[in-house]
Amino acid sequence: MRAIRRFTVRTVLPPQLAPLGELVQNLRWSWHPETMDLFAEVDPEVWERVDHDPVALLGAVEAERLRELAQDRRFLRRLADAADDLREYMTAPRWYQSLDGAPAAIGYFSPEYGIAAALPQYSGGLGILAGDHLKAASDLGVPILGVGLLYRHGYFTQSLSPEGWQLEHYPSLDPGGLPLTLLKEEDGSPARIRINLPGARTLHAQVWVAQVGRVPLLLLDSDVAENDAAARDVTDRLYGGGGDHRLVQELLLGIGGVRAIRAYCRITGHPEPEVFHTNEGHAGFLGLERIRELTEARLSFEEALEAVRAGTVFTTHTPVPAGIDRFPIDMIARQFGGSNAWPTVAVDRILELGAEPDGPDKDPSVFNMAVMGMRLAQRVNGVSELHGRVSREMFQGLWPGFDVDEVPIGSITNGVHAPTWVGREMMELAGGELSSMIDMAQGWDSVQKLSEADIWRIRGQLRTRLVEEARERMKRSWRQRGASDAELTWVDEALDPDVLTIGFARRVPSYKRLTLMLSDPDRLRRLLLDPDKPVQIVIAGKAHPADEGGKKFIQQIVRFADSEDVRHRIVFLPDYDMALGRLMVTGSDVWMNNPLRPLEACGTSGMKAALNGGLNLSIRDGWWDEWYDGNNGWAIPTADGVDDPGRRDELEANALYDLIEREVADRFYDRAPDGLPRRWLEMVRHTLSSLGPKVLAGRMLHDYVVQLYTPAAGSARALVGDGYENAKLFAAWKLRVARAWPGVRVEHVEATGIGDTPELGARLELRATIALGDLSPEDLQVQAAYGRVGAQDELIAPSHVTLKADSVDDDGRAHYTGVVPLDRTGAFGYTVRAVPSHPLMASPAELGLIAVPEEPVGMTNGTLR
Ligand SMILES: *Cc1c(COP(=O)(O)O)cnc(C)c1O
């Protein structure tokens, strides 16, 4: 018989133990081992049984044991110290509190969060990144308010069938059994969020608050009594259903999320966000809700749009076109039109925001969430330098007329939260020296002072832990697959704590090429079984439930790993989650990654490995393209430009085998007389000191605050003040400029000052005549672009100088002058262009308007000697 409803009855703690409740409710424990030690002491045996889940611990521990602890002076003292430590962590000024002009609060929206294995609200990198973002924000005192959904079945757990096929199970999560508190009004009733749906339906949701250190995370949950059955299931699963289901989830996240923030700030007095950060397109409706709020406060759509854009940051996460979130236009029209339309926001305006720009890839029948995200945010970024470049190409159509380099999409490379991902032994190395470095992102040079013997000893401990835990997991998996214990004695000998260990764990979309290592099974077998320099490989990964192809890849790996001759050297561990991820990134000597370049936007698991002294062996994609320096790991050569995918895989797989055989294994097994692999350890140290400061989530947060949040707050304040006066002026100016722009022309350009044989150091004096149409000189900027030119006279990464307006004729022609320095030899060219100009613009390309000469001007291509 199945229960129709489940809930968790919480323990009533004796008053002396009340601080224990506070410690459990604050997820800071997930990155604070000292707090975990205290939990273990509550009841070591129960602690193991509940898999180190503090809420489950309090539910499972006997009342008698709690009474005992309430009398235990030593325990109470430790408890008081831990509670004090948390209070101090929560309130002391930190890095952010020393800044000027930074926003009072930032709303951060993400469809998934990886905070702890006990809160399975993530499927992969996007969620893990969001979790690390919140934790690092907490450590640095960045006042983020997180917003997400509470999925009642989270993401699936994975096991294997006897044939090695992925099986999915969706655990039933009960918020009462999670470290969450329900947001309540002052009268004690649960706060309610409502969204109107077509057909006169209303979606209701409640709001759970997870306290992630200093950062509150609001999770909306539609499983409430007022909802019909379909509406209750809106937040059932992460990325579970089809289009309609996903749309309602995203409405709840974006629109409901803003409403949840308003409720939370009203009830708790928390400052309202000045900046909103949209983490990937799924959360994009938040901008529409804020436009609705402002239009109800009597701003026009355009004015509201400007005010919202100024304070919005949008981060794109995928260079895979198929990964972009899109809905059929009809679905959006039904939600925001007809009888369900918002009175102050016309549905056509909303549809325009998500319309794909003109071009060969335009699909007029879809509403594109990434495109809307970019139109609703004045500041946009990708998540590594390479991904920034790819995104500028991918979305160039939104800024027609501008060269790809000028497309206003920047990049901030992802980072990882060290206290979450670094093994405790490694953190404690050098008497805590490393842990203070990890906070400050500085002082990494002192890694050079760590003794090689210490590093090697700790690496050995971490590898041994991986081997032992992997054996346990293998047994569990084999039992589930129907094996008896008698058949499993070999597992005790599987893997070897002294063998070079390669880790490979990730989601299994096809571009990540889980099975590349199987390209030549015999060669792989030889590497695994090499009598002198064997390697062992530990693999994990989940395929999306609807991805049959991904499940086939897993099955191929599992079948190979099942073979009797190699099963002690290559294993697939089911159910990749944060706990298994941490085990693998801490215990692996080498972290392998072989995506199809450039489809991995950033990747973060290799960063986690690096912080643990693991060495990366990876295709130069995402972050590794940027920070591989020739000595901090290995780059697998890519066969970019080889069009036949099979051939490309083969080439790259061979390069991978070669590297493992000739370089990686060689270095690992090259031992000095004292047993230490000196050349290996040199590389480990160099990895720690070169990558350590860069890969930290603290560095990432610093970059977001300085490069995006603070400038966005500045723009937002400029527009919001004085009753939105500047928002009104800016919107009116944009309309006027856009209308008048067809009248702007670069009519004539003259160059003097360099004679017939231009020489380095000469100065080219430019005089340009611009027809202004109905605009005045203040409305635009005239620039010379100059520098190296390519074979088609195209300027390559040009520099710009602004020309000065000398005079304006009565007929609306203006004359501009300026000087271009001939600062490089070789093929050199220049041109002149006009772009709109306004102090509230964040980039010259913002309006997507540009005027360039119709005919090539003067000397576009002289050669300097
Ligand atoms: C770090 C992590 C990821 C993301 O890693 P990638 O390098 O982007 O694949 C995904 N899942 C889990 C469980 C992780 O810990």
Side-chain angles (χ1 to χ4, degrees):
M1 242 184 331
R2 299 182 64 167
I4 53 170
R5 197 111 187 95
R6 59 178 283 161
F7 51 88
T8 304
V9 181
R10 290 197 186 185
T11 325
V12 179
L13 290 170
Q16 298 92 322
L17 298 184
L20 198 54
E22 281 171 47
L23 287 167
V24 167
Q25 284 296 313
N26 194 316
L27 283 150
R28 188 207 184 204
W29 53 252
S30 67
W31 70 94
H32 198 246
E34 291 82 357
T35 308
M36 296 295 259
D37 288 346
L38 184 75
F39 294 154
E41 224 174 288
V42 169
D43 191 327
E45 190 212 322
V46 175
W47 182 239
E48 290 310 315
R49 203 169 68 220
V50 299
D51 264 345
H52 301 193
D53 175 341
V55 183
L57 171 77
L58 290 197
V61 67
E62 298 287 335
E64 179 49 36
R65 174 64 186 152
L66 291 174
R67 274 196 294 279
E68 206 176 286
L69 284 173
Q71 307 303 324
D72 179 340
R73 297 271 272 291
R74 206 187 55 87
F75 182 81
L76 291 177
R77 217 164 28 241
R78 285 196 58 194
L79 178 59
D81 285 349
D84 280 350
D85 179 74
L86 178 62
R87 235 162 273 143
E88 135 90 23
Y89 175 83
M90 294 294 285
T91 51
R94 307 189 75 96
W95 168 73
Y96 192 85
Q97 280 63 46
S98 68
L99 302 178
D100 277 332
I106 300 121
Y108 179 89
F109 286 56
S110 173
E112 48 172 308
Y113 288 93
I115 311 277
L119 202 61
Q121 301 287 318
Y122 59 91
S123 74
L126 182 70
I128 302 290
L129 178 79
D132 282 5
H133 196 95
L134 298 195
K135 291 174 184 176
S138 173
D139 291 345
L140 295 176
V142 182
I144 283 185
L145 251 177
V147 177
L149 301 178
L150 182 75
Y151 304 99
R152 283 303 177 107
H153 297 281
Y155 200 56
F156 70 91
T157 58
Q158 177 197 52
S159 63
L160 295 174
S161 78
E163 296 75 36
W165 193 252
Q166 167 176 300
L167 303 176
E168 296 117 27
H169 319 267
Y170 288 87
S172 229
L173 295 178
D174 166 21
L178 299 172
L180 303 172
T181 41
L182 194 58
L183 180 64
K184 291 187 175 150
E185 299 288 347
E186 263 155 45
D187 67 6
S189 63
R192 276 290 182 269
I193 305 302
R194 292 178 193 84
I195 293 178
N196 293 334
L197 300 177
R201 285 175 66 215
T202 304
L203 174 67
H204 302 263
Q206 56 190 0
V207 182
W208 296 94
V209 184
Q211 195 63 43
V212 185
R214 296 164 74 117
V215 171
L217 169 60
L218 313 180
L219 298 170
L220 288 99
D221 170 16
S222 73
D223 189 7
V224 296
E226 298 95 309
N227 277 335
D228 56 37
R232 283 178 89 137
D233 279 345
V234 165
T235 50
D236 59 347
R237 292 176 182 191
L238 179 53
Y239 309 134
D244 247 329
H245 184 257
R246 200 160 43 87
L247 175 62
V248 185
Q249 281 192 338
E250 294 186 15
L251 293 168
L252 187 59
L253 174 62
I255 297 172
V258 174
R259 295 178 186 176
I261 282 189
R262 302 302 181 216
Y264 182 81
C265 293
R266 173 172 54 74
I267 294 167
T268 64
H270 192 283
E272 293 278 354
E274 292 184 280
V275 170
F276 287 76
H277 185 171
T278 315
N279 193 35
E280 192 53 299
H282 314 294
F285 291 123
L286 77 92
L288 296 185
E289 168 64 4
R290 289 163 58 225
I291 288 176
R292 185 197 62 80
E293 290 178 334
L294 293 175
T295 52
E296 294 201 346
R298 297 181 181 281
L299 263 57
S300 72
F301 179 86
E302 286 79 11
E303 294 160 0
L305 175 63
E306 292 313 323
V308 164
R309 274 171 50 82
T312 305
V313 172
F314 178 78
T315 302
T316 173
H317 285 269
T318 176
V320 186
I324 299 280
D325 195 12
R326 310 198 287 181
F327 291 106
I329 267 191
D330 307 346
M331 217 187 258
I332 304 293
R334 219 169 328 143
Q335 173 62 34
F336 293 102
S339 59
N340 201 44
W342 284 333
T344 55
V345 185
V347 63
D348 291 347
R349 305 312 304 266
I350 292 177
L351 294 180
E352 281 167 19
L353 289 172
E356 298 191 335
D358 291 334
D361 301 328
K362 178 186 171 93
D363 180 346
S365 71
V366 302
F367 185 91
N368 183 315
M369 294 295 284
V371 163
M372 176 174 77
M374 294 185 187
R375 291 194 175 116
L376 286 174
Q378 202 177 24
R379 291 171 177 81
V380 180
N381 70 296
V383 291
S384 67
E385 280 178 12
L386 177 60
H387 178 232
R389 283 204 295 282
V390 173
S391 301
R392 286 191 283 280
E393 274 166 30
M394 216 165 137
F395 295 103
Q396 188 176 13
L398 287 172
W399 294 274
F402 285 85
D403 285 351
V404 77
D405 292 340
E406 281 197 90
V407 167
I409 300 178
S411 67
I412 290 182
T413 305
N414 288 340
V416 296
H417 184 246
T420 298
W421 298 110
V422 177
R424 192 167 180 179
E425 295 84 346
M426 202 67 192
M427 282 295 250
E428 285 167 0
L429 189 62
E433 206 167 345
L434 200 61
S435 42
S436 67
M437 289 180 230
I438 277 168
D439 258 0
M440 307 310 295
Q442 52 186 260
W444 284 82
D445 294 344
S446 54
V447 163
Q448 301 302 344
K449 283 190 266 165
L450 303 181
S451 94
E452 289 180 330
D454 281 346
I455 297 179
W456 188 238
R457 179 173 47 80
I458 284 175
R459 291 293 325 146
Q461 285 170 3
L462 295 172
R463 189 187 315 108
T464 303
R465 182 171 321 137
L466 170 58
V467 166
E468 286 169 356
E469 173 83 9
R471 288 175 185 159
E472 288 305 310
R473 287 174 180 258
M474 287 163 77
K475 278 195 190 152
R476 240 179 291 156
S477 175
W478 273 109
R479 281 190 207 112
Q480 275 169 347
R481 293 175 72 190
S484 68
D485 282 347
E487 292 167 281
L488 293 181
T489 48
W490 66 270
V491 175
D492 294 326
E493 308 285 309
L495 303 177
D496 181 332
D498 295 322
V499 164
L500 167 60
T501 305
I502 299 181
F504 186 101
R506 42 198 35 91
R507 289 180 303 112
V508 191
S510 53
Y511 76 85
K512 295 206 184 227
R513 298 192 294 189
L514 172 67
T515 52
L516 191 74
M517 66 180 98
L518 290 185
S519 299
D520 182 346
D522 292 332
R523 182 135 189 225
L524 176 61
R525 196 171 264 116
R526 284 200 301 277
L527 289 174
L528 298 172
L529 301 177
D530 189 295
D532 302 321
K533 299 173 185 171
V535 302
Q536 59 192 2
I537 309 184
V538 181
I539 305 161
K542 289 177 177 176
H544 187 280
D547 178 12
E548 294 290 304
K551 293 183 199 178
K552 283 209 182 95
F553 290 151
I554 290 178
Q555 187 173 41
Q556 284 168 27
I557 288 280
V558 172
R559 290 217 162 135
F560 183 83
D562 282 353
S563 327
E564 250 173 73
D565 57 338
V566 293
R567 67 185 183 185
H568 60 301
R569 284 281 152 73
I570 180 167
V571 302
F572 179 89
L573 301 179
D575 205 22
Y576 180 40
D577 68 354
M578 287 182 76
L580 179 53
R582 189 179 140 95
L583 182 73
M584 289 179 65
V585 295
T586 50
S588 300
D589 300 296
V590 171
W591 196 253
M592 189 164 87
N593 190 19
N594 46 237
L596 201 58
R597 188 177 188 270
L599 298 184
E600 178 128 293
C602 180
T604 53
S605 52
M607 299 180 178
K608 301 169 194 166
L611 283 178
N612 282 288
L615 301 177
N616 278 271
L617 167 63
S618 172
I619 296 275
R620 288 191 75 150
D621 200 5
W623 75 283
W624 193 234
D625 185 58
E626 204 167 315
W627 289 333
Y628 167 67
D629 71 2
N631 295 310
N632 55 4
W634 297 272
I636 305 167
T638 45
D640 281 7
V642 173
D643 286 337
D644 172 4
R647 177 78 189 128
R648 181 167 171 180
D649 285 358
E650 189 187 317
L651 287 169
E652 296 184 5
N654 281 333
L656 172 64
Y657 297 134
D658 286 349
L659 269 173
I660 294 177
E661 187 179 312
R662 295 185 198 144
E663 312 238 356
V664 182
D666 207 48
R667 216 176 244 261
F668 185 85
Y669 289 107
D670 177 12
R671 303 295 162 91
D674 61 3
L676 294 180
R678 287 257 138 64
R679 288 196 303 136
W680 185 270
L681 287 165
E682 200 178 297
M683 212 159 177
V684 170
R685 267 193 186 162
H686 179 62
T687 286
L688 286 169
S689 60
S690 69
L691 296 176
K694 292 182 181 137
V695 302
L696 296 182
R699 187 273 313 150
M700 167 177 76
L701 254 290
H702 170 278
D703 291 352
Y704 273 103
V705 168
V706 171
Q707 297 173 28
L708 297 174
Y709 295 162
T710 303
S715 300
R717 282 173 200 153
L719 290 179
V720 167
D722 257 353
Y724 292 92
E725 183 59 19
N726 276 330
K728 293 175 186 171
L729 293 172
F730 191 36
W733 175 82
K734 273 195 179 178
L735 276 179
R736 182 167 63 80
V737 170
R739 269 196 210 117
W741 199 257
V744 175
R745 277 192 313 280
V746 179
E747 289 196 331
H748 185 67
V749 180
E750 272 170 40
T752 51
I754 53 165
D756 297 337
T757 48
E759 281 178 1
L760 186 67
R763 290 153 57 86
L764 188 67
E765 284 155 27
L766 290 184
R767 189 175 157 80
T769 306
I770 313 289
L772 298 181
D774 292 333
L775 297 179
S776 56
E778 301 78 65
D779 295 326
L780 46 79
Q781 206 184 145
V782 176
Q783 298 172 322
Y786 63 94
R788 195 153 59 88
V789 285
Q792 262 72 52
D793 284 354
E794 75 283 11
L795 285 159
I796 296 162
S799 309
H800 296 94
V801 290
T802 301
L803 306 186
K804 252 185 43 228
D806 275 352
S807 59
V808 187
D809 301 344
D810 292 343
D811 61 3
R813 284 196 168 75
H815 303 283
Y816 287 79
T817 56
V819 172
V820 165
L822 301 190
D823 55 2
R824 55 181 308 133
T825 52
F828 189 95
Y830 67 90
T831 185
V832 169
R833 66 180 194 173
V835 289
S837 171
H838 192 285
L840 292 170
M841 286 167 61
S843 117
E846 181 162 335
L847 278 67
L849 298 173
I850 186 167
V852 292
E854 275 155 33
E855 300 290 323
V857 298
M859 178 204 76
T860 53
N861 193 353
T863 297
L864 301 187
R865 286 183 197 91

